[in-house]
Amino acid sequence: MAQHGILIVQYDPKYTEQTVKMWRESKERAIGQKEKHSFESHLYFLDQILLERFQIDLALIDEKVVGMVAYNKTEISQLYVHLDYQGIGIGQALLEKAKAQSDGVLTLYTFEINKNAQRFYEKNGFEIIGRGYENEENLPDIQYEWKELIY
């Protein structure tokens, strides 16, 4: 993706701190509460746990992390865009990458309080399939599903 000088690349640990900083700030703004985990434990989670289970791609502008997505063939675990770069297609590009690598069906969760994320996913063909409190923040969340249209 060349617009706005955005480059989508596979995660490299040299971007760990930038990625976690962007992720935390974006999440905190989206849900209106501070991250429960320390910065150090979040670094560990990204490099030692998330990376083991998911493909992670980053959106970069001039070597600055402006977005990230963690996904596998059936699930999107995380998708965050830097606060200063929302609304210019970064989330869309990351989502399209995950869709292209999927088995034709993707599920994800988003917080019910995050109306921007809900609009984004619904605009991109995701439908609500469940609701609950399956998160450490103990906030209501929504489970979405996307199915590839086959003609």
Side-chain angles (χ1 to χ4, degrees):
M1 175 178 191
Q3 72 185 51
H4 301 288
I6 300 164
L7 184 63
I8 306 295
V9 299
Q10 190 167 337
Y11 174 76
D12 183 312
K14 74 180 182 180
Y15 296 111
T16 301
E17 288 193 20
Q18 275 193 67
T19 301
V20 169
K21 183 177 185 303
M22 178 277 306
W23 180 358
R24 291 168 70 91
E25 288 172 359
S26 179
K27 179 181 174 188
E28 287 173 0
R29 167 80 62 86
I31 68 172
Q33 66 177 247
K34 286 287 186 194
E35 175 61 43
K36 289 184 168 291
H37 301 284
S38 70
F39 192 82
E40 292 72 24
S41 66
H42 210 146
L43 294 172
Y44 177 84
F45 176 74
L46 175 60
D47 278 343
Q48 304 300 320
I49 297 171
L50 202 62
L51 195 54
E52 292 292 316
R53 296 187 48 221
F54 297 95
Q55 166 74 32
I56 301 174
D57 291 329
L58 302 177
L60 304 176
I61 295 179
D62 298 327
E63 289 292 302
K64 178 180 180 178
V65 175
V66 295
M68 64 93 68
V69 62
Y71 61 94
N72 59 31
K73 291 191 174 296
T74 61
E75 174 185 5
I76 295 175
S77 173
Q78 311 291 330
L79 195 161
Y80 287 96
V81 175
H82 190 288
L83 296 173
D84 296 338
Y85 295 88
Q86 294 180 0
I88 62 170
I90 294 169
Q92 188 74 47
L94 294 169
L95 183 60
E96 292 303 322
K97 181 92 186 277
K99 284 179 171 182
Q101 301 296 318
S102 76
D103 284 340
V105 176
L106 284 171
T107 59
L108 61 84
Y109 287 89
T110 193
F111 295 102
E112 191 174 274
I113 196 169
N114 190 349
K115 302 298 184 196
N116 288 339
Q118 291 169 50
R119 282 190 294 276
F120 173 74
Y121 292 123
E122 290 171 12
K123 181 181 90 174
N124 282 284
F126 283 79
E127 296 182 356
I128 296 172
I129 60 168
R131 293 180 183 268
Y133 292 83
E134 299 290 322
N135 56 67
E136 293 177 329
E137 293 79 6
N138 200 29
L139 292 172
D141 59 21
I142 299 172
Q143 185 180 25
Y144 280 97
E145 181 181 69
W146 168 82
K147 290 183 182 176
E148 186 173 26
L149 296 176
I150 300 172
Y151 298 97

